[in-house]
Amino acid sequence: MNWNHLKVILKLYELGTIRAAAKVLDVDQATLGRYLNEIEAELNMKLFVRSRNGVQPTTDMIRILPYINTIQDQIYALDRTIHQSKEQVAGVVKISTTDSLAIDFIAPMLVTLKEKYPHLKVELITTIDTLSLDKSEIDISIRTYRATESDFIVRHLASWEVGLYASEKYLLDHGMPNTIDNHSIVAYQEGITSNLDINTVVGEPIRASQVISRVNSSLILANLVHLGVGIGELPTYIANKKKLIRIWPEKKRKNDYEVWLALHKDTYKTPRVRAIIDELVYIFEMEKYSF
């Protein structure tokens, strides 16, 4: 028996007629009558005697009624507790991250977050600069490197292999590279990602003259590759979304593209921050298997 069964039984007992109960439960009388037959068959118990004046509870119905009322009270109490918990998750949470992570992960999270916690607001700051968690500039940092401060809570969210990619247009114009020589490169600026050798792509040396543009954003780099400006290193999830073609699948950058969450230990104590962390962990867990 489930909660819907119990609601039907209670409404029939309270209102005394199938017509009145059907109206409250927003079903037609014939459907409710069939539903009652199914419940009684499942329980192997006659609950009501039907007559022209309505329905009368049987002795079996009177016997189980206290248990049904207890279950109803517990369900209502649970609903109140959940509602109160959601009301407590309110206020503003400041999140700092990169533009590509904001578009691909944080923005989709905000859709479900709004439904779950209508009083929770998010200030999203996209920047390559590291904002201070200590000075309350932000509450949560989502970055492609691991924070090392001792008073921070740190969590690894995801990692993807980084390969070399080109657009279909670029390959039609220039052909599939046999070597990196004589091909145009779009690349990151120095210091954008940790342990990045700006003089190589997937371990292959490049010349300064080959580099058409250096950027400080995976989002911009992906768009330049997509437009056919040149070939470039990208994490697999971004390249797959752009439908780019991988060059030399056996080669990859030494360090994977990693995503880390960091926040101050004191910040974690607030319900609104914990609620967002739960959503972040979930969406990265789901998304990293979907590409």
Side-chain angles (χ1 to χ4, degrees):
M1 179 182 290
N2 59 40
W3 174 229
N4 288 328
H5 291 165
L6 298 181
K7 285 195 290 186
V8 168
I9 294 169
L10 284 171
K11 286 304 174 188
L12 286 168
Y13 179 80
E14 292 169 6
L15 300 175
T17 69
I18 290 179
R19 180 180 179 181
K23 185 176 181 179
V24 171
L25 295 171
D26 197 25
V27 296
D28 60 65
Q29 296 182 57
T31 299
L32 186 56
R34 288 195 301 272
Y35 204 9
L36 176 58
N37 289 337
E38 292 171 4
I39 295 170
E40 290 179 329
E42 182 181 334
L43 296 176
N44 193 25
M45 182 183 294
K46 192 71 175 175
L47 300 177
F48 295 95
V49 177
R50 307 186 201 194
S51 70
R52 295 178 62 181
N53 297 323
V55 292
Q56 296 294 322
T58 64
T59 54
D60 282 334
M61 176 63 199
I62 298 299
R63 183 166 53 85
I64 68 172
L65 183 61
Y67 300 100
I68 296 175
N69 284 328
T70 298
I71 294 171
Q72 177 180 245
D73 291 342
Q74 291 174 340
I75 289 174
Y76 287 161
L78 175 61
D79 185 66
R80 287 193 299 271
T81 300
I82 292 172
H83 180 73
Q84 290 168 359
S85 176
K86 287 184 177 181
E87 289 297 319
Q88 291 173 1
V89 179
V92 176
V93 177
K94 299 177 182 178
I95 302 176
S96 173
T97 190
T98 65
D99 48 11
S100 56
L101 291 176
I103 290 171
D104 294 331
F105 298 99
I106 311 305
M109 179 198 73
L110 295 181
V111 176
T112 56
L113 203 67
K114 180 181 177 182
E115 296 174 356
K116 286 187 176 182
Y117 308 108
H119 302 292
L120 183 60
K121 309 298 179 185
V122 172
E123 287 188 11
L124 186 56
I125 305 157
T126 57
T127 176
I128 62 170
D129 298 325
T130 302
L131 301 181
S132 176
L133 290 164
D134 283 323
K135 297 178 181 178
S136 299
E137 290 180 331
I138 55 168
D139 300 303
I140 299 172
S141 175
I142 304 168
R143 292 290 164 185
T144 56
Y145 56 84
R146 189 185 192 282
T148 57
E149 288 83 349
S150 60
D151 53 351
F152 285 3
I153 294 174
V154 178
R155 177 159 185 165
H156 184 256
L157 293 176
S159 63
W160 290 277
E161 193 172 276
V162 178
L164 187 61
Y165 289 90
S167 67
E168 184 177 0
K169 178 183 182 303
Y170 182 91
L171 295 179
L172 287 173
D173 292 341
H174 303 280
M176 179 65 75
N178 292 317
T179 69
I180 205 74
D181 295 336
N182 302 319
H183 282 277
S184 300
I185 308 292
V186 290
Y188 291 107
Q189 296 172 7
E190 187 171 9
I192 295 303
T193 59
S194 59
N195 302 316
L196 175 66
D197 182 358
I198 66 168
N199 298 311
T200 66
V201 289
V202 294
E204 295 291 321
I206 59 174
R207 302 184 307 275
S209 60
Q210 291 178 265
V211 180
I212 301 299
S213 179
R214 287 196 179 274
V215 301
N216 63 358
S217 160
S218 296
L219 181 65
I220 300 301
L221 195 148
N223 277 292
L224 291 178
V225 174
H226 180 70
L227 291 170
V229 173
I231 60 178
E233 285 184 327
L234 287 167
T236 53
Y237 95 85
I238 293 179
N240 291 342
K241 286 186 69 176
K242 290 285 188 182
K243 295 182 170 53
L244 300 174
I245 299 167
R246 188 163 182 177
I247 301 169
W248 311 323
E250 72 282 0
K251 294 181 180 290
K252 64 176 184 176
R253 193 169 74 191
K254 181 179 179 181
N255 299 301
D256 288 344
Y257 181 91
E258 296 192 331
V259 183
W260 293 86
L261 177 150
L263 71 160
H264 198 277
K265 290 178 180 178
D266 293 339
T267 307
Y268 183 71
K269 298 174 183 178
T270 59
R272 63 180 179 273
V273 170
R274 291 200 304 270
I276 285 186
I277 290 173
D278 289 343
E279 292 297 319
L280 284 169
V281 169
Y282 175 78
I283 200 164
F284 272 95
E285 192 68 25
M286 293 299 102
E287 290 286 336
K288 70 183 179 182
Y289 295 116
S290 66
F291 296 107

